[in-house]
Amino acid sequence: MKILFHGVATKTNGTPVKVGEKLPAFTVKDAADTVKTGTQLFTKVSLISVVPDIDTRVCSLSTKRFNQEVDKYNNINFYTISTNTLEQQKNWCAAEGVAKLELLSDATAEFGKAMGLYVEEKRIDARSIWIVDTKGTVLYQELLAEQSNEPNYAKALEFLDSLN
């Protein structure tokens, strides 16, 4: 998939799944350094915010924004996946006071590669939003063409509201 970083073209390693399709098998690590699969994560409808690097401005802003929304959705899991290490994520959470939303590490890029979101030349996953059901079927997606842009929070949250 073609994407932009501050107007400079690059591409991901493949074509991401579409609405109505199931996410491919993947693993990520949680804050306790435990390997998690989609099956383990999708215990209820889940919003996954994929960010390239939690330590950058837009990634930080979007993660904090979704963290503010978590309490309004008792029946939804909120996850942020980045290619940062667990230590980087832990340090960021401590500095930013983010405790409700769960950060998951894709430092091995397994998730990004399986999803067609991995940007090899930058060693990061492309910014995107995914809402999936308990079977891992994509109900909603936003693939950002320009990676320096924030996602459409209102549209994703309106979609979550429509599920209630």
Side-chain angles (χ1 to χ4, degrees):
M1 171 178 81
K2 292 180 182 177
I3 58 173
L4 301 170
F5 278 91
H6 302 283
V8 177
T10 190
K11 63 181 179 173
T12 65
N13 69 309
T15 303
V17 296
K18 296 174 178 50
V19 171
E21 297 177 346
K22 285 195 170 206
L23 294 185
F26 67 87
T27 62
V28 290
K29 285 192 174 183
D30 67 11
D33 201 21
T34 304
V35 173
K36 297 285 186 169
T37 64
T39 304
Q40 293 168 307
L41 296 172
F42 307 143
T43 56
K44 46 190 169 180
V45 171
S46 300
L47 181 145
I48 305 165
S49 173
V50 180
V51 300
D53 181 349
I54 196 67
D55 289 319
T56 60
R57 187 184 70 80
V58 175
C59 298
S60 182
L61 286 171
S62 64
T63 302
K64 286 189 281 189
R65 172 64 193 274
F66 282 125
N67 183 65
Q68 292 170 351
E69 301 294 336
V70 171
D71 289 340
K72 298 175 188 169
Y73 299 93
N74 294 328
N75 58 341
I76 306 288
N77 290 324
F78 279 75
Y79 301 113
T80 291
I81 297 177
S82 77
T83 50
N84 297 90
T85 65
L86 291 174
E87 184 176 343
Q88 289 170 319
Q89 289 181 341
K90 186 179 190 179
N91 291 341
W92 180 87
C93 285
E96 298 295 338
V98 171
K100 300 171 191 172
L101 178 126
E102 186 172 357
L103 266 72
L104 301 166
S105 176
D106 187 33
T108 62
E110 184 185 322
F111 171 81
K113 288 177 181 175
M115 292 286 290
L117 296 172
Y118 188 64
V119 182
E120 181 136 8
E121 70 182 73
K122 295 186 176 285
R123 295 186 180 130
I124 56 172
D125 296 339
R127 185 180 318 283
S128 52
I129 302 294
W130 304 84
I131 298 174
V132 299
D133 66 14
T134 57
K135 295 178 181 165
T137 302
V138 178
L139 305 174
Y140 172 95
Q141 73 171 195
E142 180 182 4
L143 303 168
L144 282 90
E146 173 54 70
Q147 295 294 292
S148 61
N149 291 341
E150 291 181 63
N152 187 336
Y153 306 110
K155 192 171 179 184
L157 295 170
E158 285 171 14
F159 185 85
L160 287 181
D161 291 337
S162 76
L163 298 177
N164 290 330

